[in-house]
Amino acid sequence: MLAKRIIPCLDVKDGNVVKGIQFNQHRIVGDIIERANYYSDAGADELVFYDITASCEQRTVDANWIKEVARCLNIPFCVAGGIKNAFDAEKILNAGADKISINSPALECPDLINELSEKFGKQCIVIGIDSFKKENNYYVYQYTGAQEKIKNTERLTFDWIKEVEARGAGEIVLNCMNQDGVRQGYDCDQLRLARKKSTLPLIASGGAGCEDDFYTVFKKTNCDGALAASVFHSNQINIKNLKLFLSNKNILVRS
């Protein structure tokens, strides 16, 4: 059995790490490099950096700060933000990222998943899915980094999950928008259903509020990792203490 991963998420906007509530009301929580170093030392298994406005602003994430992050980190990290083609992906990977994540660009051109998987290998292709429950269905949303541009794609979340796996994705991060930033626990019902639809590594995102939320999501959904932001940014949860807590509850984590 593989160890469960604890993954801090760093949303990047205008060169700073920010955090919002349900993808809105963003506030600055720190400098990119300072936060990266902090989480590396704190015991994170990997980091995820999202340039949250890149896609809606029709640009690609800046490779310069990725190079700086790569120089200071000794853990894997994934980068997302407006990666629309193989050239963009290669630039980000060459800058030092271990994985790339695509969300809105994959929705605009699903063949991009096939192209990137074939060129770089599925192990470094992550698909981010922003999912919102509406009228008893889960829908995929797009351009979630800017409140004025966010939209419902009308794609059903679980259909999209099956499609991205068939196209060659290597991992899925399921961002449960209803729970994002409210610290009331992960959406275990949605994650459990997602787990049944795909054999890919599945990372839970949205809703962590206490140590027990991590235990619950691992126990109830069998997801492979749990991503969180605000509880780590605020130091409400210490990662090393969290890992000890999980280990004491017989959840396999990296020491």
Side-chain angles (χ1 to χ4, degrees), residues 3 24 26 37 45 50 110-111 126 132 167 189 205 246:
N24 194 15
H26 293 104
N37 280 318
D45 295 307
Y50 292 138
D111 286 343
V126 180
F132 192 85
R167 288 181 174 276
D189 290 339
S205 175
L246 292 171

Side-chain angles (χ1 to χ4, degrees), residues 66-79:
I66 296 170
K67 292 177 182 177
E68 292 185 50
V69 168
R71 281 195 289 266
C72 71
L73 278 187
N74 58 6
I75 58 174
F77 70 99
C78 177
V79 173

Side-chain angles (χ1 to χ4, degrees), residues 128-166:
I129 300 176
D130 296 330
S131 177
F132 192 85
K133 188 175 184 180
K134 182 179 179 182
E135 298 173 355
N136 296 319
N137 270 316
Y138 296 100
Y139 291 93
V140 180
Y141 276 63
Q142 191 172 10
Y143 303 133
T144 55
Q147 187 65 22
E148 69 278 7
K149 294 187 178 181
I150 187 172
K151 69 174 185 178
N152 184 351
T153 66
E154 304 298 334
R155 287 179 179 269
L156 293 173
T157 298
F158 302 130
D159 289 348
W160 183 231
I161 284 174
K162 289 188 286 186
E163 182 174 347
V164 301
E165 178 169 13

Side-chain angles (χ1 to χ4, degrees), residues 27 35 44 191 234:
R27 58 182 177 82
R35 288 280 92 187
L191 288 158
S234 66

